[in-house]
Amino acid sequence: SCFIVEDSAVIRQNLIATLEELLPMRVVGTAEDEQGALQWMQSPGAQCDLLVIDVFLKSGTGLEVLRQASRLRPEARRVVLTNYATPDMRRRCAQLGADRVFDKSAELEELLAYCAKLALDQKPAG
């Protein structure tokens, strides 16, 4: 299951559609700002295997969401999806606990491949 932190409604909808249609992945919720993401992560019963986080949000930043996610949702993989996937940004995200950083404009296929692998890995054996 996946939780998406992304301020663009269009990108959010596309991501949900793509993940749920192409992969055995359920999107359990979304947030468009830092506060919404943190509220969800702190809510009882909030659980996901994957967090997809945009860096620039309506308010607050994805970097802070990432930092908090390491503490609040340590079991989830953390993936950053950004238009600003510079070497410096990739390094900062890695330092804050991102498993992977994907460029929104150039690496969507790679993101899907990563999610597909994750979904497969989580299928119960047998």
Side-chain angles (χ1 to χ4, degrees):
S1 60
C2 172
F3 185 83
I4 298 171
V5 186
E6 164 64 67
D7 64 345
S8 157
V10 174
I11 293 174
R12 258 198 329 267
Q13 292 309 320
N14 287 345
L15 264 178
I16 293 169
T18 307
L19 290 173
E20 293 195 330
E21 282 167 29
L22 297 182
L23 306 172
M25 177 85 66
R26 198 165 51 88
V27 176
V28 292
T30 63
E32 55 181 21
D33 58 15
E34 182 186 311
Q35 195 182 358
L38 295 181
Q39 270 174 346
W40 181 81
M41 286 193 284
Q42 288 164 336
S43 63
Q47 254 187 328
C48 66
D49 307 307
L50 176 66
L51 284 158
V52 178
I53 304 167
D54 181 21
V55 173
F56 295 98
L57 303 169
K58 275 218 163 64
S59 62
T61 96
L63 295 176
E64 184 57 25
V65 173
L66 190 57
R67 201 169 67 78
Q68 297 286 349
S70 302
R71 184 174 60 85
L72 296 167
R73 293 263 85 76
E75 77 289 346
R77 293 288 176 94
R78 295 172 291 280
V79 165
V80 173
L81 184 61
T82 179
N83 283 319
Y84 304 91
T86 61
D88 182 53
M89 181 61 84
R90 287 176 188 271
R91 196 166 50 247
R92 279 176 69 190
C93 290
Q95 283 167 347
L96 291 169
D99 291 292
R100 294 286 299 272
V101 178
F102 295 98
D103 186 319
K104 238 182 231 182
S105 53
E107 295 180 321
L108 280 177
E109 293 296 318
E110 287 87 341
L111 170 67
L112 289 178
Y114 178 84
C115 293
K117 185 179 177 319
L118 209 60
L120 280 175
D121 288 349
Q122 275 151 359
K123 281 228 165 74

